[in-house]
Amino acid sequence: MSKMAAEGGGKEMNEIKSQFSTREGAYKLLTHSEYSRPNRVPFNSQGSNPVRVSFVNVNDQSGNGERICFNVGRELYFYIYKSVRKAADLSKPIDKRIYKGTQPTCHDFNHLTATAESVSLLVGFSAGQVQLIDPIKKETSKLFNEEGLLSSQNQASSPSGTVV
């Protein structure tokens, strides 16, 4: 036992620190999920591009039926989600998409048709488009409002004059 520990003035010498500071900078022990976070998109908590998260349960035989989808900037990720206590392996996404010119702003799964082999995911974009994808099959089915005629700022009307 060290002299300081014996005197009650400190902790044991062999204690593992989770963070410390030196004149070069501060160091912190990272969890697996923090360490393996996709690092091409810098984290900016003040930015106007919030991260959105969607969950779906596909009832597969392995017991890992939960799936998670989230966006970071122009990237959309799809993973197996195990639990809050056990982080997803961020180095192995089921599907990852990088969009150019526009970015995902919202997404949601069709919970009624989700299976272990296929799941429908609707993704809304900053330019007004809506895309239907299947991240398990890695397929893109449809792109709606491709011209961006409908947005939250305006309403389009049909040739008959009715509001769409």
Side-chain angles (χ1 to χ4, degrees):
M1 192 183 300
S2 72
K3 183 178 176 185
M4 280 180 63
E7 294 171 358
K11 297 179 181 176
E12 229 180 279
M13 295 280 287
N14 294 333
E15 179 185 357
I16 297 175
K17 295 182 178 183
S18 62
Q19 60 186 13
F20 60 92
S21 296
T22 66
R23 65 177 170 233
E24 292 85 15
Y27 296 86
K28 179 182 173 190
L29 180 64
L30 298 176
T31 63
H32 178 67
S33 60
E34 290 173 320
Y35 180 75
S36 60
R37 184 177 74 81
N39 58 6
R40 269 186 265 120
V41 179
F43 178 72
N44 181 2
S45 62
Q46 319 272 296
S48 61
N49 305 324
V51 173
R52 302 283 187 218
V53 179
S54 298
F55 292 92
V56 67
N57 191 333
V58 296
N59 293 324
D60 70 355
Q61 305 299 339
S62 69
N64 292 326
E66 292 280 345
R67 302 292 184 263
I68 184 171
C69 176
F70 63 91
N71 62 291
V72 179
R74 297 185 185 281
E75 299 181 8
L76 186 72
Y77 297 93
F78 183 69
Y79 289 95
I80 292 175
Y81 181 73
K82 296 181 181 171
S83 74
V84 175
R85 291 189 174 91
K86 194 170 187 181
D89 184 358
L90 297 179
S91 65
K92 297 177 185 171
I94 295 173
D95 193 19
K96 172 186 170 186
R97 295 169 187 242
I98 302 172
Y99 296 95
K100 299 181 185 339
T102 187
Q103 62 190 32
T105 57
C106 59
H107 42 79
D108 199 9
F109 292 103
N110 183 341
H111 296 269
L112 301 175
T113 61
T115 66
E117 294 79 32
S118 176
V119 64
S120 296
L121 176 68
L122 274 176
V123 183
F125 294 92
S126 57
Q129 304 95 336
V130 177
Q131 187 177 41
L132 177 62
I133 64 174
D134 186 331
I136 294 176
K137 292 181 178 178
K138 298 181 169 72
E139 293 178 354
T140 302
S141 299
K142 299 205 183 237
L143 181 63
F144 302 98
N145 195 31
E146 190 171 356
E147 298 81 24
L149 298 176
L150 299 177
S151 70
S152 61
Q153 310 325 350
N154 62 7
Q155 290 183 339
S157 60
S158 68
S160 64
T162 58
V163 175
V164 179

